[in-house]
Amino acid sequence: NGGDLIYNYFLTLEDINKDTINVPYPTGEISITLPKEIDTSKPLRVKGKGFENEGGDFYINLNFKHTRL
């Protein structure tokens, strides 16, 4: 999206108890600190981690992984 990178991350129940998650990135994984209260309506933003030549940001959309019981 322009100079921005966007990634959809699907949280598991185990992820909710973690302070950080690792997400794929073009040069390898990066560690993202999770906020204490997760709001899936707003993406997490990592400034300056979009396309380098376009000065974009990296956005991580958080979604909950649904499983059948």
Side-chain angles (χ1 to χ4, degrees):
N1 186 21
D4 296 332
L5 290 173
I6 299 171
Y7 183 75
N8 291 312
Y9 186 89
F10 291 90
L11 293 162
T12 64
L13 289 175
E14 293 81 26
D15 289 332
I16 293 178
N17 293 320
K18 295 180 183 177
D19 294 328
T20 61
I21 55 172
N22 292 326
V23 296
Y25 188 71
T27 58
E29 286 189 340
I30 60 173
S31 182
I32 303 294
T33 301
L34 291 174
K36 291 190 186 274
E37 294 182 12
I38 296 172
D39 182 355
T40 58
S41 69
K42 298 177 185 175
L44 301 177
R45 182 174 104 179
V46 183
K47 291 183 181 181
K49 286 290 188 179
F51 290 109
E52 289 181 27
N53 57 346
E54 296 186 33
D57 298 328
F58 183 34
Y59 290 91
I60 300 101
N61 294 317
L62 298 176
N63 303 287
F64 283 103
K65 190 177 213 177
H66 298 332
T67 57
R68 282 194 148 163
L69 297 177

